[in-house]
Amino acid sequence: MTMMLNKRVKMLATSAALAVLLASAPAAFAETPQNTLVIAWAIDDVITLDPGEAFEITAGEITGNTYNTLISLNTENTSEVLPTIAESWTVSDDGKTFTFKIKPDLKFASGNPITAEDVAWSFERAVKLNKNPAFILQQFGLTGDNVTDMAKASDPMTFSFTTDKAYAPSFVLNCLTASVASVVDKTLVMEHVESVTPSDEYKFDNDFGNNWLKTNYAGSGPFAIRAWRANEVILLDRNDNYFGDAPALEHVIYRHMPESSGERLALEAGDIDVARKLQPQDIDAVSSNADIKTASAAKGTVYYFSLNQKNEILAKPEVREAMKYLVDYDALSTTLIKSIGTIHQTFLPSGMFGSLDEKPYTFDPAKAKELLAKAGYPDGFSITMDVRNTPPVSVVGEALQQSFAEGGVKLEIIPGDGKQTLTKYRARNHDIYIGQWGTDYWDPNSNADTFAANLDNSDETMTKTLAWRNAWDIPELTTKTQAALLEKDTAKRKAMYEELQKTVLDTGPFVIMWQETEVAAYRAKVSGYKLGPTFDTNFLAPVSKE
């Protein structure tokens, strides 16, 4: 059987069928095809491929390589944005209307032309679907009732977007680089719209193609999504209708391979081209291999654990503070996150405007015990933590179990894949959740609006920030976050974000531990592989193989 399989693999060396085999077969292969890049990563966090709904790390990277937005982040200078689908834009004198001219003769992967109507409909469907990332557009006053008036095509090649207030133009433009602002092929998606029964939560009579787009594709990026099998593989094919420089590679395969040691062995054997989940010991192991290179980039991603304020124990201020003293930050830095992270305790990542680099908390079990006794728990308490069963969070969860115990806190770990833990977290059914948060757009409001704002703490709200997920009811802090968003004076705005970070650091239910440094190891025959500041800027179009 093995010999027959290997013969068939050779016969299919340039086909999409090879991609499936490479992704799922347990047998090792001598070499990946010249026209295909095989990436090993943990992709179990993917819940949907619809850019109007996707809000996970892996899905963000896939969207960044398969869809286009009007404008995009300049990865060489993150204070700037670059034209993508739009060729130019203007801002009205009152600072509220942004008008974009669409580049002529652009096509979606389907061959359909890209028009301003596609842009307007993409905004409309994202706002009306009201999925997790919709708030990025809704914060400008867009609602299901007004979006067709506030985001519209004035002619086939002109799109205008009007906000409810005069925000800083740079903030608005940065938001439009987020995946939720991806432009989808209206003509194609409309062929797959399904009827739904309106309800109190969703008042529209169709799903805007959401059910179909969960597993299908309607974009214009350098690659097109061929297939996704949950917890197994994502297949991308070159989009021959792409309007930019054509990718050198015909196919990209993301293999679900969450174990660092397995990735390293596969990389050393040549079974994969890129390893994306290597832990410190395996990074060290490949560093002396002449056939392997590494790339790294500081990411706008922070790792944290959060305390659900619905739990009466975790809702006590002294308990929240105590938990921040039960993390062995020094041990994390020198072992578990060595090379892949830097200790960081505030919600804005280093490198972003307004970031505050304060680290007041150290591992101090005695201090934690004092605080727990003050809260009424002199003998500690028992609690659960939902942990994604892939490194680094899986191993960090085990380390926290040990350090918590020194403070009298008995921690039970509840493992699950990315989809399971995220779904439970988003439903506010956790005690403690450990995870990561990657900035959606390169502006401090991206993180402030989720860590320091909660517009409505009710279970029924549609605005579900991280503060909401943890039932942290903070009307005063929410008002301050909204004020920072509108502040035009740069120095004052910076000071406001610094104050917000200090408040969350001191009193919030978030224990932020480190900022990610992403490291990718790849075969030396791979050229042009580079990591960006965000996961949706890990661009694959420039990559080739010698």
Side-chain angles (χ1 to χ4, degrees):
M1 177 66 74
T2 301
M3 291 180 64
M4 292 176 64
L5 177 61
N6 286 336
K7 287 180 180 179
R8 190 179 181 197
V9 166
K10 292 178 181 179
M11 293 173 63
L12 299 173
T14 60
S15 70
L18 171 62
V20 178
L21 288 172
L22 279 172
S24 58
F29 296 87
E31 185 177 350
T32 61
Q34 186 70 16
N35 66 348
T36 303
L37 187 73
V38 182
I39 301 172
W41 203 18
I43 60 172
D44 59 322
D45 61 330
V46 179
I47 297 173
T48 174
L49 296 175
D50 183 345
E53 180 180 17
F55 208 42
E56 297 75 42
I57 295 294
T58 303
E61 178 163 327
I62 300 302
T63 300
N65 283 285
T66 57
Y67 284 85
N68 284 306
T69 48
L70 284 166
I71 53 180
S72 56
L73 182 70
N74 182 352
T75 58
E76 302 300 324
N77 181 359
T78 54
S79 65
E80 296 179 351
V81 294
L82 301 172
T84 308
I85 285 178
E87 65 178 1
S88 63
W89 56 89
T90 57
V91 184
S92 61
D93 291 341
D94 65 1
K96 296 170 66 175
T97 298
F98 295 72
T99 301
F100 298 86
K101 288 293 184 180
I102 308 302
K103 293 177 181 176
D105 303 321
L106 304 187
K107 293 181 180 180
F108 288 103
S110 67
N112 292 329
I114 300 175
T115 68
E117 179 61 28
D118 293 295
V119 180
W121 192 74
S122 298
F123 275 57
E124 178 186 353
R125 73 180 299 272
V127 169
K128 289 183 174 179
L129 284 174
N130 202 21
K131 301 294 185 178
N132 278 296
F135 73 91
I136 296 173
L137 299 178
Q138 292 168 341
Q139 65 188 328
F140 299 115
L142 298 184
T143 68
D145 294 329
N146 68 21
V147 63
T148 56
D149 292 323
M150 296 181 69
K152 59 187 178 182
S154 55
D155 64 52
M157 305 307 290
T158 306
F159 168 75
S160 64
F161 170 46
T162 302
T163 61
D164 58 341
K165 300 174 184 176
Y167 300 94
S170 60
F171 165 66
V172 177
L173 295 173
N174 277 320
C175 287
L176 298 188
T177 69
S179 294
V180 71
S182 296
V183 179
V184 303
D185 185 339
K186 179 181 178 180
T187 301
L188 177 60
V189 178
M190 286 293 288
E191 296 174 2
H192 302 280
V193 167
E194 297 179 9
S195 298
V196 297
T197 302
S199 64
D200 291 339
E201 292 186 359
Y202 187 79
K203 59 184 179 180
F204 306 103
D205 63 1
N206 74 88
D207 75 339
F208 292 92
N210 174 245
N211 190 51
W212 182 77
L213 264 187
K214 286 179 183 289
T215 56
N216 288 282
Y217 173 68
S220 61
F223 291 93
I225 300 171
R226 174 66 174 265
W228 162 47
R229 293 206 305 271
N231 295 0
E232 290 185 41
V233 61
I234 300 172
L235 309 178
L236 308 182
D237 291 341
R238 182 170 61 200
N239 172 15
D240 291 329
N241 281 323
Y242 179 54
F243 51 81
D245 293 334
L249 297 165
E250 294 181 30
H251 311 289
V252 177
I253 304 168
Y254 284 85
R255 294 180 59 179
H256 180 55
M257 192 177 287
E259 293 300 327
S260 176
S261 58
E263 281 197 11
R264 176 174 64 84
L265 292 173
L267 183 67
E268 291 173 334
D271 297 344
I272 62 174
D273 297 305
V274 184
R276 292 281 298 282
K277 205 67 177 175
L278 294 185
Q279 298 306 292
Q281 69 275 14
D282 290 310
I283 294 173
D284 290 342
V286 301
S287 62
S288 59
N289 189 328
D291 293 326
I292 296 173
K293 298 181 180 180
T294 60
S296 64
K299 278 296 199 263
T301 304
V302 293
Y303 279 78
Y304 69 98
F305 65 83
S306 58
L307 315 171
N308 192 343
Q309 299 301 281
K310 286 190 172 185
N311 184 305
E312 63 180 13
I313 298 175
L314 301 177
K316 293 182 179 293
E318 298 88 355
V319 173
R320 293 200 299 264
E321 184 178 3
M323 302 303 278
K324 297 169 186 178
Y325 286 107
L326 291 179
V327 179
D328 194 338
Y329 302 96
D330 289 341
L332 288 180
S333 179
T334 57
T335 56
L336 301 183
I337 66 165
K338 177 187 175 184
S339 304
I340 61 172
T342 303
I343 296 300
H344 191 80
Q345 295 181 359
T346 52
F347 66 69
L348 286 184
S350 294
M352 181 173 285
F353 172 75
S355 177
L356 188 66
D357 189 22
E358 288 196 1
K359 296 185 280 287
Y361 295 104
T362 58
F363 183 47
D364 192 340
K367 176 68 172 177
K369 286 181 177 180
E370 289 179 12
L371 289 164
L372 294 180
K374 186 177 179 182
Y377 303 103
D379 299 320
F381 55 85
S382 297
I383 205 75
T384 65
M385 175 183 282
D386 290 283
V387 180
R388 183 182 178 187
N389 53 15
T390 60
V393 294
S394 57
V395 290
V396 171
E398 294 172 357
L400 291 174
Q401 190 176 48
Q402 297 176 23
S403 61
F404 280 18
E406 293 193 40
V409 177
K410 183 178 180 180
L411 180 65
E412 176 190 353
I413 291 176
I414 302 177
D417 65 25
K419 181 177 180 179
Q420 291 169 332
T421 55
L422 269 174
T423 299
K424 184 177 179 180
Y425 182 40
R426 288 172 175 170
R428 307 207 285 189
N429 290 330
H430 64 293
D431 286 334
I432 303 177
Y433 170 84
I434 180 173
Q436 62 191 124
W437 175 264
T439 187
D440 294 304
Y441 49 88
W442 208 256
D443 184 275
N445 185 69
S446 179
N447 284 23
D449 196 45
T450 198
F451 283 99
N454 183 0
L455 290 171
D456 179 358
N457 197 45
S458 68
D459 289 339
E460 296 76 25
T461 184
M462 300 301 288
T463 305
K464 300 178 179 180
T465 64
L466 293 186
W468 177 89
R469 291 184 196 177
N470 292 282
W472 193 32
D473 197 6
I474 43 172
E476 183 177 347
L477 196 61
T478 300
T479 299
K480 290 183 177 181
T481 299
Q482 293 172 323
L485 178 61
L486 296 173
E487 178 55 59
K488 298 295 192 300
D489 184 284
T490 301
K492 289 181 180 179
R493 189 174 188 231
K494 181 175 183 290
M496 294 169 81
Y497 283 112
E498 290 174 347
E499 180 186 350
L500 289 171
Q501 288 171 92
K502 288 180 180 178
T503 301
V504 174
L505 179 62
D506 293 342
T507 66
F510 303 103
V511 183
I512 297 169
M513 297 177 287
W514 76 89
Q515 179 175 344
E516 180 173 9
T517 300
E518 186 182 14
V519 179
Y522 58 93
R523 301 289 300 179
K525 63 182 179 181
V526 174
S527 299
Y529 191 85
K530 186 177 181 180
L531 299 170
T534 58
F535 284 93
D536 59 0
T537 57
N538 287 343
F539 296 131
L540 299 174
V543 180
S544 61
K545 292 169 74 170
E546 298 174 354

